[in-house]
Amino acid sequence: MNNIVEIKNLTKIYYDKIALDNLNLKIKKGKVVGILGPNGSGKTTLIKILTGLLRPTSGEVLIDQQKIGVYTKSIISYLPDRNYLYKWMKIEDACRLFKDFYADFDANRFAELLDFMQLKENMKIDTLSKGMHEKLNLALALARKAKLYILDEPIAGVDPVARDQILDAIINNYNENSSMLITTHLVSEMENILDEVVFLKEGRLVSKGNAEQLREEKGKQIVEIYKEIFAQ
């Protein structure tokens, strides 16, 4: 099969709120795919289901042809949208934690990413700025040899310099044998690294396609298409 993710009739309901509404979606292997939409569109709910952090109300999800479980969790490297490391840690402690926890964690690759991000192993977690936190968390995620990388809002709330470094790290360290999902509402900053885009609105799929083809067909940048869709 050529798909890393296959979603059929996926629905997630929180009490009386429908977060995902009968979603059908296939994501090809080897692609960088943007999951785009404003806050409340279902992006975070979708990736929490993919990572096994939430169970769907109904529907089917396959990752690398397998149902969500031990195997799928082992091949996904997930970057959440908030810091999850203990404040007492140093960066070197985070490295040891990931080495112990993930068999596919590459310490040498992590060291290279730290150097690129201008971070040092002896830095304490509680002294890092938000941008430095984002760069560290991304370095940890990209240092794994995963089949699927899921990055939730990787540049939200960081300064322009940190954004550029984070985007460069994603571009330079992306493995073409892997796939990557990126959720974001900062479309203009991210669109040049996306192969394909998926637009979610109120838990429903409203549009999807190859990013370059959409630009050619519409004669517009992805951010302009985004504004058209969500202004309605």
Side-chain angles (χ1 to χ4, degrees):
M1 293 291 292
N2 196 36
N3 298 318
I4 187 67
V5 175
E6 295 189 19
I7 297 169
K8 299 177 183 177
N9 305 319
L10 178 62
T11 296
K12 177 63 179 178
I13 301 174
Y14 298 101
Y15 302 103
D16 60 348
K17 175 179 171 54
I18 300 175
L20 293 174
D21 187 1
N22 199 40
L23 181 66
N24 289 277
L25 179 64
K26 293 181 180 180
I27 294 173
K28 295 178 182 178
K29 293 180 179 179
K31 301 293 184 180
V32 180
V33 180
I35 308 295
L36 310 181
N39 292 333
S41 61
K43 303 189 305 296
T44 296
T45 297
L46 173 59
I47 63 171
K48 284 186 175 180
I49 289 174
L50 294 177
T51 55
L53 296 174
L54 283 177
R55 291 185 178 182
T57 303
S58 62
E60 183 180 45
V61 178
L62 298 178
I63 297 176
D64 201 26
Q65 303 179 58
Q66 301 292 318
K67 292 183 178 180
I68 304 296
V70 174
Y71 170 72
T72 64
K73 291 178 182 179
S74 74
I75 66 167
I76 292 174
S77 183
Y78 172 44
L79 173 68
D81 63 349
R82 56 181 54 87
N83 185 47
Y84 53 90
L85 298 170
Y86 295 111
K87 291 183 178 180
W88 58 262
M89 284 181 167
K90 293 183 178 179
I91 289 178
E92 59 191 358
D93 297 317
C95 177
R96 281 194 290 268
L97 176 67
F98 267 61
K99 280 180 66 176
D100 290 343
F101 207 76
Y102 300 109
D104 61 359
F105 184 76
D106 186 336
N108 291 328
R109 185 177 182 185
F110 179 64
E112 292 172 357
L113 284 161
L114 281 187
D115 185 58
F116 176 78
M117 300 286 199
Q118 298 179 322
L119 297 173
K120 304 294 183 184
E121 287 191 342
N122 62 357
M123 288 178 169
K124 294 189 67 175
I125 299 297
D126 65 355
T127 66
L128 301 180
S129 67
K130 181 171 178 59
M132 294 166 78
H133 270 295
E134 294 286 354
K135 290 189 285 186
L136 170 59
N137 292 342
L138 181 66
L140 289 165
L142 292 180
R144 290 185 56 198
K145 297 177 180 178
K147 286 191 174 183
L148 177 61
Y149 297 88
I150 299 180
L151 313 182
D152 190 6
E153 300 287 357
I155 60 171
V158 300
D159 63 77
V161 174
R163 284 184 186 181
D164 289 344
Q165 287 182 310
I166 288 170
L167 291 173
D168 286 345
I170 293 171
I171 294 167
N172 295 333
N173 292 277
Y174 173 65
N175 182 346
E176 291 183 356
N177 295 319
S178 300
S179 308
M180 186 176 289
L181 299 184
I182 304 175
T183 71
T184 187
H185 59 273
L186 300 173
V187 183
S188 60
E189 290 89 344
M190 300 291 295
E191 72 166 272
N192 288 334
I193 72 170
L194 304 176
D195 297 317
E196 297 182 356
V197 290
V198 173
F199 295 95
L200 293 184
K201 184 175 184 179
E202 297 177 347
R204 295 187 296 272
L205 175 66
V206 293
S207 184
K208 63 185 282 288
N210 177 277
E212 189 57 39
Q213 288 178 359
L214 283 174
R215 280 189 283 260
E216 291 179 2
E217 289 171 7
K218 303 285 188 179
K220 298 176 181 178
Q221 295 298 304
I222 298 299
V223 66
E224 295 173 301
I225 299 172
Y226 176 98
K227 290 176 180 177
E228 280 188 355
I229 291 172
F230 295 108
Q232 298 174 4

